[in-house]
Amino acid sequence: VLSIGEVMIEFAPDFSDYAKRGVYSISFAGDAFNTAVLLSRLGVEISFYSNLGDDDNSRSTIEMMEDEGVDSSFVKLFPGRVPGLYLIKNAENGERSFSYWRGESPAREMFSSSEEIDILLPKLAHFKTIYLTGITLAIIEEEARYRLFELLAECRKAGVTIIMDSNYRPSLWENKKRAKNSLAALAEVCDVGLVSLEDEKELWGVEVVAGRVLDRYHQAGVKEVVVKSKDKPVVVSDGTSSHEVSVKPVIEVVDSTGAGDAFNAGYTSARIKQLDLISSVNLGCASAAVLLACRGALGKREVYLEKLRDIYGLI
């Protein structure tokens, strides 16, 4: 799998007994990056495509990728540049809000030239799957989006499975119309859509229901669609049959950061291993539940795998 996206410096609140108010721990995260790391933990061979700087934090990010088993050979380091960063604020119920500083992030310059596409395309021949999200589209320039769409279309023709999560974040887009057009264009070159009902409602209107989301993605040519929701069953469809999968309530919610990315990793790893749709949704939900009980977007590798094994009897 190749995951395409941005990785940033993450500041998460430190709630340990000895930490004072306003103390943060540092890590590295980003939606497509989170999914890549978790896919690696789940035994999937994965590479990450992005741009970073050449500062200490960028190099620490590369070290983290290597420690997590994520191939970093597709990450370009830009001299004199630094990655973006974000700060997490958690409410008492674990819901999170973010503050971002990413205006000068090198990742915003991905696919900025046709030469980059020409160099990249031949290297993608050995990948079976490409994963990306709407955030990747939102942070790059409009012309770069169209280059990316053309690249994905060529890969799809060659038999590569393209997986997307719309991950709509209004503050990253110029306006809602541009977001709609770009995400609709992405859907037209994708095979699998892993989307949230909340994002779809915010983008397309509050009257949106899961059935309409399935129809719209299938009509765009997406073969397999999963509609996630915070308080409703997960709905999954392969175009011929659809299923509602009930989600067990998560009793301990510490931090909701990265829960959707964790679901995507669990679901994708299960489908790669040829599990059926319902079993794949269940692994996705278990993966998300484990992350909901951890601080930050990724938690600790050992804790993540141990809880999947001991609590859910998975992997």
Side-chain angles (χ1 to χ4, degrees):
V1 179
L2 177 69
S3 182
I4 301 172
E6 180 183 27
V7 54
M8 295 176 287
I9 304 168
E10 176 193 80
F11 286 97
D14 187 342
F15 290 99
S16 57
D17 292 338
Y18 61 84
K20 296 180 180 179
R21 183 178 178 86
V23 175
Y24 290 82
S25 59
I26 186 173
S27 187
F28 307 99
D31 65 340
F33 178 76
N34 301 338
T35 299
V37 169
L38 296 175
L39 279 169
S40 179
R41 291 180 185 178
L42 291 167
V44 175
E45 186 177 354
I46 185 147
S47 301
F48 189 67
Y49 185 93
S50 191
N51 295 342
L52 283 170
D54 63 349
D55 63 312
D56 289 342
N57 284 313
S58 294
R59 298 189 185 283
S60 294
T61 304
I62 298 295
E63 291 175 6
M64 177 182 173
M65 290 188 205
E66 293 172 354
D67 290 342
E68 290 282 1
V70 177
D71 170 42
S72 63
S73 62
F74 286 85
V75 178
K76 292 180 290 185
L77 303 183
F78 283 50
R81 302 288 293 277
V82 296
L85 64 86
Y86 73 99
L87 184 149
I88 302 172
K89 181 179 180 180
N90 291 117
E92 291 184 2
N93 65 355
E95 282 298 326
R96 77 283 189 262
S97 60
F98 304 113
S99 299
Y100 291 99
W101 294 264
R102 73 199 315 174
E104 301 301 319
S105 169
R108 300 180 73 93
E109 297 170 28
M110 290 188 293
F111 312 109
S112 58
S113 69
S114 56
E115 288 78 11
E116 180 178 355
I117 301 295
D118 293 339
I119 293 172
L120 180 59
L121 187 57
K123 296 181 179 180
L124 300 183
H126 70 285
F127 288 102
K128 294 182 178 179
T129 305
I130 294 176
Y131 174 87
L132 74 163
T133 80
I135 288 181
T136 302
L137 295 187
I139 65 170
I140 62 178
E141 296 293 333
E142 185 175 12
E143 289 186 6
R145 292 171 198 155
Y146 289 109
R147 292 190 188 97
L148 177 55
F149 296 151
E150 291 175 359
L151 174 68
L152 295 175
E154 289 299 316
C155 291
R156 196 183 190 195
K157 289 178 184 177
V160 180
T161 298
I162 313 297
I163 303 176
M164 67 167 283
D165 181 347
S166 57
N167 220 353
Y168 173 57
R169 298 294 179 266
S171 62
L172 295 179
W173 290 95
E174 303 94 321
N175 52 63
K176 186 172 287 190
K177 181 179 179 181
R178 186 65 57 81
K180 286 182 176 180
N181 291 341
S182 298
L183 290 170
L186 177 60
E188 291 178 356
V189 294
C190 284
D191 300 284
V192 181
L194 308 175
V195 302
S196 82
L197 186 59
E198 288 74 22
D199 286 352
E200 295 294 311
K201 283 182 175 181
E202 188 165 10
L203 183 59
W204 299 97
V206 294
E207 74 284 354
V208 168
V209 295
R212 290 187 181 182
V213 176
L214 295 178
D215 290 343
R216 186 163 55 78
Y217 277 92
H218 283 318
Q219 288 171 8
V222 181
K223 301 170 187 174
E224 188 171 306
V225 186
V226 179
V227 183
K228 304 166 282 184
S229 179
K230 292 179 180 179
D231 55 5
K232 293 181 176 62
V234 175
V235 182
V236 57
S237 170
D238 61 4
T240 58
S241 63
S242 62
H243 309 272
E244 284 193 1
V245 184
S246 297
V247 180
K248 294 181 180 179
V250 179
I251 298 173
E252 182 188 13
V253 178
V254 173
D255 185 352
S256 61
T257 305
D261 309 327
F263 176 94
N264 294 351
Y267 183 89
T268 299
S269 70
R271 293 298 283 151
I272 287 173
K273 296 168 186 176
Q274 299 185 333
L275 273 66
D276 60 56
L277 296 177
I278 295 176
S279 298
S280 300
V281 168
N282 286 331
L283 180 54
C285 290
S287 175
V290 169
L291 259 294
L292 285 167
C294 300
R295 294 286 177 193
L298 287 166
K300 294 182 178 179
R301 176 186 177 88
E302 297 77 12
V303 174
Y304 173 79
L305 293 175
E306 181 180 329
K307 286 188 174 182
L308 277 182
R309 280 192 297 262
D310 295 350
I311 298 176
Y312 297 98
L314 298 169
I315 70 171

